[in-house]
């Protein structure tokens, strides 16, 4: 087998799977034995199954270039990193010590500032540091913890010792991705993982969930996670964590500060937030007091924190601890504070603002990485990092010396690390690749708890610096193996306790309601265009002329009154579906994962249809297949969604779009210039041919078609059905029980419904239908003004 020939890099490297004797380490033995019994076909199938789960769950990463960002498949390495439980305990103890030490440092930075006044830290590392936020000075005191969650990136050196590569404090990510990786790996190795003594991750999240409730205390308000939004590369994790822990996911546009309190804009007025888990860069948190260009935070949040009206999971401004130059001074500060060095030290770092340290960097420049002293990005993951050499990414020794002599305080030098390797399966072979591990910590009632596993980053090649996904790096699950059987762990509480239900109207941010509303409209618009396109091509394939296939109004709407190519016409339903997918991606925490899978599958099928050169006779059949998938998606969503306000906004979007479109179809098909067979065409587009046959004993005529598609309260394709449905949904939304006066949106809906309820079929005209379509869009505008703005 290809993996039986695996050979570690050797030499200056250590390998996670092989010992110094070249034999498989005991902690890897059972997994390697399991692996050796799988054929290449088995592996391919299992790997594909894990990748399919990640695609279905929407776990992607963003590939950025100078002009745009695109979503790419999550680069999971299907071979885990396995560590012994005893070694993990040692690592955990070192990280817990470091977490407590960082809390001490942060408290001093925003409190008494004795580290600067005593000379242990140069003042310039704070005064000129953009990550040190002056508006937060004075908030370092008190008994409340400043840090409740953080992560560390660690690597093993050639001597077998672990080192901290970076402290991830401000908005540490990857905890959620670690869960997703674990679920994917349970698809790859289900039998082995479920029956082995690998520590589960759910207990860590259960305990941290309790911490969030404890930090919130008895204050009135929600616990919210503040995300930069869908364009951020960590947004899938934000949505997963919010759903997994039961948090309210918000973006900056959802928040407002009123009377000194942080509030979230909802469809039921503004509601208070008492605890905010900030996942923004701290400088973006409040444009009023921090970065005025920020579009991600909300004005007034800093003052709410200062006043104690808003708590944050980690202190705003904690990102100063990630400053590269600080690593040069942490060992000295630790010895002064603890009386000894840290058990798990960071990579050797020198700040070039001091002559001795600058000279050391220059004297050992070929073993150094050099970069911005005030950056919070790990040097080894920064494309701007300078190294000495002759390659295209290197700089010359003379250039480096000139730079450090003239502006040394702006740079740090860091020891170029040689990391241990781990197995990675590439092109049918097992190869050794440098790796490091990100480990998450959460504070609990009993102190810091370390997630029993993590998230490994694996280099794209032999270069330890090429670990970023943007550079082709991969990620892997980290397994902690126990020698004894482990109890099952779940996020579900095992205690019998009274439950507390929310009010009838659970909190729904206006932004989420807006996206649900437009998701409904876009998917319905796509379906309507499919039905019209199918009807057009069915007539063309039967020999009809372009001008007689469908009425002129519908031709102008669908194809600019020009006979289209099959590939072009699919844009009429591909474009609204793409917009619907964008709306759905902004409400991942509220939208069913199965619904997202179905929507992505439908978008993929449409894309495949666009790429085919179908014969005219085949196009109606192809579109029929798309329609079945569309209605399947609609059924899945409406059958699975809880009947909440969110479901009502989604349903209103569908109903208003369908009613307005039916106004257009009827107006076109009952007009004097309608082509022969237009009435039958309207029944076909409305999927009501069978309903007409069962309701009327005559062939389709204007009165019967108008009655069925315009006025019938029992036909789910009629205008009146959906206006009445909209009226009912609006009556159950918040702020509608305000007395005898109707809201504007309720009033306009009632007027349209009354007109339909009191009309006779012969009173319905094309002109009246066009006006009714405008009245329906006025309902949409009123809904937007009342709830969504």
């Amino acid at each position: 087998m290809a993996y039986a020939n695996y050979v570690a890099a050797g030499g200056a490297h250590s390998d996670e799977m092989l010992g110094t004797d070249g034999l498989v380490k005991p902690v890897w033995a059972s997994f390697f034995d399991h692996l050796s019994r799988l054929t290449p076909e088995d592996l391919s199938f299992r790997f594909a199954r894990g990748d399919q789960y990640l695609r279905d769950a929407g776990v992607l990463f963003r590939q950025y270039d100078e002009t745009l960002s695109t979503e790419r498949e999550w680069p999971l390495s299907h071979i885990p990193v396995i560590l012994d439980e005893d070694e993990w305990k040692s690592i955990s103890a070192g990280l817990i010590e470091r977490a407590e030490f960082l809390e001490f440092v942060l408290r001093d930075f925003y409190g008494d500032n004795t580290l600067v006044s005593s000379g242990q830290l140069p003042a310039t590392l704070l005064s000129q540091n953009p990550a040190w936020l002056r508006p937060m000075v004075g908030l370092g005191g008190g008994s409340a913890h400043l840090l409740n969650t953080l992560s560390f990136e660690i690597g093993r050196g050639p001597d077998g010792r672990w080192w901290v590569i970076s402290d991830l404090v401000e908005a540490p990510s990857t905890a959620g991705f670690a869960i997703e990786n674990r679920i994917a790996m349970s698809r790859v190795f289900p039998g082995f993982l479920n029956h082995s003594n690998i520590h589960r991750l759910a207990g860590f999240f259960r305990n941290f969930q309790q911490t969030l409730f404890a930090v919130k205390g008895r204050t009135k308000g929600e616990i919210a996670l503040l995300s930069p939004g869908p364009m951020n590369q960590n947004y899938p994790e934000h949505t997963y964590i919010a759903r997994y822990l039961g948090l309210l996911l918000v973006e900056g546009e959802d928040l407002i500060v009123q009377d000194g309190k942080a509030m979230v804009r909802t469809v039921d007025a503004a509601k208070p937030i008492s605890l905010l888990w900030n996942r923004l860069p701290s400088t973006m948190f409040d444009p009023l007091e921090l970065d005025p260009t920020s579009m991600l935070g909300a004005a007034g949040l800093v003052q709410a924190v200062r006043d104690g009206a808003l708590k944050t999971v980690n202190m705003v401004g904690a990102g100063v601890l990630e400053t590269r130059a600080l690593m040069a001074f942490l060992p000295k500060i630790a010895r002064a504070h603890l009386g000894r060095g840290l058990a798990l030290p960071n990579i050797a770092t020198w700040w070039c603002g001091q002559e001795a340290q600058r000279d050391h960097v220059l004297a050992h420049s070929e073993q150094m990485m050099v970069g911005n002293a005030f950056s919070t990005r790990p040097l080894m993951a920064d494309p701007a990092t300078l190294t000495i050499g002759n390659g295209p990414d290197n700089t010359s020794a003379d250039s480096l010396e000139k730079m450090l002599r003239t502006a040394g305080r702006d740079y740090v030098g860091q020891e170029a690390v040689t990391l241990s390797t781990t197995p990675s399966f590439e092109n049918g072979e097992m190869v050794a690749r440098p790796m490091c591990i990100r480990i998450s910590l959460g504070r609990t009632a009993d102190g810091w708890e370390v997630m029993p596993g993590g998230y490994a980053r694996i280099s794209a090649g032999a270069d330890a610096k090429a670990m970023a996904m943007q550079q082709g790096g991969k990620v892997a699950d980290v397994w902690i193996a126990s020698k004894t059987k482990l109890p099952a762990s779940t996020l579900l509480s095992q205690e019998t306790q009274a439950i507390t239900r929310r009010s009838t109207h659970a909190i729904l941010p206006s932004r989420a309601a807006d996206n649900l509303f437009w998701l409904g409209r876009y998917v319905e618009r796509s379906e309507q265009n499919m039905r019209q396109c199918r009807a057009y091509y069915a007539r063309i394939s039967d020999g009809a002329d372009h001008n007689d296939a469908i009425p002129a109004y519908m031709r102008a709407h669908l194809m600019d009154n020009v006979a289209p190519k099959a590939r072009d016409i699919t844009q009429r339903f591909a474009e609204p579906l793409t917009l619907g997918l964008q709306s759905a991606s902004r409400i991942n925490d509220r939208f069913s994962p199965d619904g997202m899978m179905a929507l992505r599958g439908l978008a993929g099928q449409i894309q495949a249809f666009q790429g085919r050169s179908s014969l005219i006779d085949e196009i109606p059949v192809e579109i029929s297949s798309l329609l079945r998938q569309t209605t399947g998606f609609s059924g899945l969503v409406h059958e699975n969604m809880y009947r909440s306000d969110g479901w009502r906004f989604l349903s209103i979007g569908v109903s208003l779009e369908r009613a307005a479109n039916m106004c257009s179809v009827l107006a076109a098909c009952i007009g004097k210039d309608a082509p022969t067979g237009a009435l039958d065409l309207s029944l076909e587009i409305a999927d009501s041919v069978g309903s007409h046959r069962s309701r009327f004993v005559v062939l389709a005529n204007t009165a019967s078609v108008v009655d069925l598609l315009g006025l019938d309260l029992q036909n789910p394709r009629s205008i009146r059905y959906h206006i009445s449905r909209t009226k009912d949904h609006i009556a159950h939304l918040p702020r509608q029980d305000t007395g005898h006066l109707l809201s504007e949106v309720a009033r306009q809906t009632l007027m349209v419904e009354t007109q339909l309820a009191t009309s006779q079929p012969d009173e319905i005209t094309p002109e009246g239908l066009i006006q009714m379509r405008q009245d329906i869009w006025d309902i949409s505008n009123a809904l937007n003004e009342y709830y969504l703005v």
Side-chain angles (χ1 to χ4, degrees):
M1 307 298 288
Y3 42 85
N5 298 320
Y6 174 81
V7 178
H13 297 74
S14 60
D15 188 79
E16 295 302 323
M17 188 174 77
L18 302 182
T20 55
D21 56 4
L23 300 177
V24 175
K25 293 179 181 178
V27 72
W28 282 79
S30 59
F31 173 75
F32 196 81
D33 179 64
H34 176 74
L35 197 64
S36 65
R37 286 185 266 111
L38 299 175
T39 66
E41 292 74 21
D42 290 335
L43 286 177
S44 295
F45 173 76
R46 289 163 176 263
F47 292 173
R49 189 164 57 186
D51 292 339
Q52 185 63 51
Y53 164 77
L54 293 168
R55 283 193 295 272
D56 292 344
V59 182
L60 307 163
F61 84 96
R62 288 198 169 274
Q63 182 77 45
Y64 297 94
D65 62 26
E66 295 179 356
T67 58
L68 50 81
S69 67
T70 55
E71 290 183 336
R72 300 293 180 88
E73 287 200 4
W74 189 248
L76 178 67
S77 174
H78 304 93
I79 305 300
V81 175
I82 308 178
L83 297 175
D84 181 77
E85 184 180 52
D86 292 337
E87 182 177 30
W88 189 255
K89 288 179 179 178
S90 176
I91 293 171
S92 298
L95 294 180
I96 289 172
E97 178 190 64
R98 190 174 182 91
E100 290 289 3
F101 172 63
L102 290 179
E103 168 100 12
F104 157 76
V105 173
L106 183 64
R107 193 174 294 278
D108 184 82
F109 282 177
Y110 290 104
D112 296 336
N113 220 333
T114 58
L115 295 176
V116 170
S117 62
S118 65
Q120 296 180 70
L121 189 74
T124 188
L125 290 189
L126 291 186
S127 63
Q128 296 186 5
N129 193 334
W132 183 65
L133 306 182
R134 285 178 174 80
M136 306 306 297
V137 172
L139 297 182
S143 58
H145 295 297
L146 305 184
L147 299 175
N148 287 291
T149 179
L150 70 167
S151 298
F152 298 99
E153 191 158 78
I154 67 173
R156 193 199 297 268
D159 58 358
R161 296 180 60 193
W162 290 96
W163 297 81
V164 172
I165 297 172
S166 59
D167 303 304
L168 306 169
V169 183
E170 183 165 64
S173 63
T174 68
F177 288 134
I179 283 278
E180 294 282 31
N181 288 345
R182 178 61 58 86
I183 297 174
M185 291 298 287
S186 71
R187 305 295 199 271
V188 179
F189 301 110
F192 181 84
L193 190 55
N194 292 336
H195 297 94
S196 60
N197 297 323
I198 303 298
H199 281 267
R200 305 301 191 253
L201 305 180
F204 170 83
F205 288 94
R206 181 185 62 242
N207 294 338
F208 187 65
Q209 184 184 53
Q210 295 305 310
T211 295
L212 295 177
F213 286 113
V215 174
K216 174 183 178 294
R218 297 181 179 274
T219 55
K220 181 182 179 181
E222 295 292 316
I223 303 176
L225 189 152
L226 176 57
S227 170
M231 295 306 294
N232 183 269
Q233 63 181 358
N234 294 320
Y235 185 71
E237 185 199 36
H238 301 163
T239 60
Y240 185 85
I241 287 289
R243 186 188 297 121
Y244 195 62
L245 297 182
L247 311 180
L248 182 65
L249 182 67
V250 297
E251 297 175 26
E253 65 183 270
D254 297 327
L255 302 180
I256 188 172
V257 177
Q258 293 180 343
D259 300 324
K261 296 180 180 179
M263 315 286 281
V264 57
R265 295 182 176 94
T266 79
V267 297
D268 192 15
K271 301 293 183 181
I273 292 176
S274 58
L275 177 61
L276 195 60
W277 189 352
N278 176 42
R279 303 303 292 267
L280 308 181
S282 287
T283 55
M284 301 285 105
F285 187 68
D286 185 342
L288 186 63
E289 298 204 45
L290 301 172
D291 186 343
T293 67
S294 172
M295 302 292 289
L296 301 178
L301 288 179
V302 166
Q303 187 61 49
V305 171
R306 277 200 297 257
D307 292 343
L310 176 66
K311 298 177 182 177
T312 55
V313 173
N314 280 358
M315 180 182 183
V316 176
V320 67
L321 294 174
E322 299 177 10
T323 306
R324 288 171 180 169
L326 184 60
M327 277 194 164
F329 298 90
L330 288 181
K332 178 182 176 182
I333 296 172
R335 286 192 294 272
H337 178 63
L338 301 173
R340 55 177 173 76
L342 290 167
L344 207 61
N346 52 255
I347 293 177
T349 306
W350 294 265
W351 178 53
C352 298
Q354 294 177 324
E355 184 177 0
Q357 294 200 19
R358 180 177 64 242
D359 290 344
H360 179 87
V361 170
L362 290 172
H364 301 84
S365 59
E366 292 186 357
Q367 291 84 44
M368 292 285 173
M369 299 180 292
V370 177
N372 189 319
F374 297 102
S375 173
T376 56
R377 187 175 183 178
L379 260 173
M380 63 183 298
D382 188 351
T385 295
L386 302 175
T387 55
I388 296 298
N390 299 316
D393 299 326
N394 304 138
T395 188
S396 69
D398 290 341
S399 298
L400 180 67
E401 181 170 7
K402 181 178 179 181
M403 183 177 66
L404 297 187
R405 296 289 184 196
T406 56
R409 67 180 181 181
D410 294 332
Y411 294 93
V412 293
Q414 198 170 77
E415 184 180 17
V417 292
T418 300
L419 296 175
S420 64
T421 57
T422 193
S424 176
F425 206 81
E426 299 177 10
N427 300 318
E429 293 184 337
M430 193 88 83
V431 295
R433 293 288 182 248
M435 73 94 196
C436 59
I437 300 175
R438 287 192 179 185
I439 304 172
S440 298
L441 280 71
R443 195 182 289 278
T444 71
D446 299 322
W448 288 102
E449 180 177 350
V450 180
M451 181 193 290
Y455 169 102
R457 294 202 301 152
I458 298 176
S459 178
D463 185 0
K465 298 193 295 298
M467 289 193 180
M469 295 183 195
Q470 310 291 335
Q471 300 169 288
K474 295 183 178 181
V475 300
D477 191 16
V478 178
W479 296 357
I480 309 305
S482 173
K483 297 180 178 66
T484 58
K485 187 173 180 59
L486 297 168
S489 182
T490 173
L491 196 63
L492 300 176
S493 173
Q494 302 301 312
E495 300 176 2
T496 302
Q497 57 185 10
I499 60 173
T500 302
R501 290 187 175 89
R502 296 183 185 271
S503 66
T504 304
H505 302 293
I507 286 185
L508 177 66
S510 297
R511 173 188 53 81
D514 187 45
N515 280 286
L516 285 163
F517 174 71
W518 279 100
L519 172 62
R521 284 192 60 176
Y522 284 135
V523 173
E524 175 60 29
R525 186 177 302 174
S526 180
E527 179 183 339
Q528 183 72 11
N529 288 348
M530 287 181 198
R531 293 185 180 280
Q532 293 184 23
C533 290
R534 181 178 65 173
Y536 169 82
Y537 274 101
R539 279 153 180 74
I540 292 294
S541 63
D542 285 342
D545 180 78
H546 167 68
N547 293 323
D548 292 333
I550 54 177
Y553 172 83
M554 292 164 58
R555 286 201 310 275
H557 168 67
L558 280 176
M559 56 202 72
D560 301 324
N561 214 23
V562 176
K565 296 179 180 178
R567 185 177 303 175
D568 297 334
I569 203 169
T570 57
Q571 283 297 112
R572 298 300 180 182
F573 42 85
E575 288 174 358
L577 192 69
T578 299
L579 294 171
L581 191 55
Q582 291 175 4
S583 293
S585 68
R586 296 200 67 185
I587 47 174
N588 265 353
D589 59 315
R590 296 178 176 274
F591 196 57
S592 159
D594 287 339
M596 284 296 297
M597 287 167 53
L599 199 57
R600 287 195 180 96
L602 178 57
Q605 189 172 343
I606 290 176
Q607 188 175 19
F609 178 34
Q610 287 179 291
R612 289 194 291 270
S613 299
S614 301
L615 299 174
I616 292 294
D617 292 346
E618 297 174 344
I619 293 176
V621 177
E622 296 260 17
I623 296 179
S624 294
S625 175
L626 294 176
L627 276 170
R628 287 192 293 272
Q629 195 163 343
T630 304
T631 53
F633 162 77
S634 299
L636 176 69
V637 170
H638 289 287
E639 287 299 317
N640 289 356
M641 280 189 76
Y642 186 80
R643 274 24 183 179
S644 61
D645 291 336
W647 171 75
R648 294 191 185 281
F649 277 99
L650 177 67
S651 300
I652 291 170
V654 171
S655 287
L656 292 182
E657 188 74 26
R658 183 171 293 182
N661 286 334
M662 189 51 62
C663 285
S664 300
V665 170
L666 265 183
C669 291
I670 67 174
K672 293 180 180 179
D673 59 346
T676 303
L679 293 176
D680 292 326
L681 175 69
S682 66
L683 292 173
E684 179 185 341
I685 291 173
D687 198 20
S688 296
V689 174
S691 298
H692 186 276
R693 188 178 297 118
S694 65
R695 288 275 287 131
F696 301 98
V697 295
V698 298
L699 295 176
N701 59 44
T702 301
S704 65
V705 169
V706 168
D707 184 85
L708 183 65
L709 302 186
L711 306 178
D712 196 325
L713 194 56
Q714 306 304 317
N715 182 12
R717 291 284 170 179
S718 79
I719 302 169
R720 186 181 175 192
Y721 175 92
H722 284 284
I723 295 302
S724 296
R725 188 168 180 249
T726 297
K727 183 173 76 72
D728 180 65
H729 282 314
I730 290 173
H732 287 85
L733 290 177
R735 296 188 284 141
Q736 291 297 326
D737 52 350
T738 56
H740 67 284
L741 294 178
L742 294 175
S743 67
E744 181 62 18
V745 62
R747 187 185 71 83
Q748 292 196 29
T749 308
L750 179 60
M751 290 175 62
V752 176
E753 188 202 35
T754 301
Q755 180 183 351
L756 289 164
T758 57
S759 294
Q760 295 297 319
D762 58 0
E763 297 173 343
I764 302 297
T765 65
E767 294 76 20
L769 288 165
I770 295 302
Q771 179 57 51
M772 185 172 291
R773 183 185 63 184
Q774 182 57 53
D775 294 340
I776 291 171
W777 294 146
D778 289 342
I779 295 173
S780 177
N781 293 335
L783 184 81
N784 183 69
E785 290 291 330
Y786 197 68
Y787 285 112
L788 307 181
V789 175

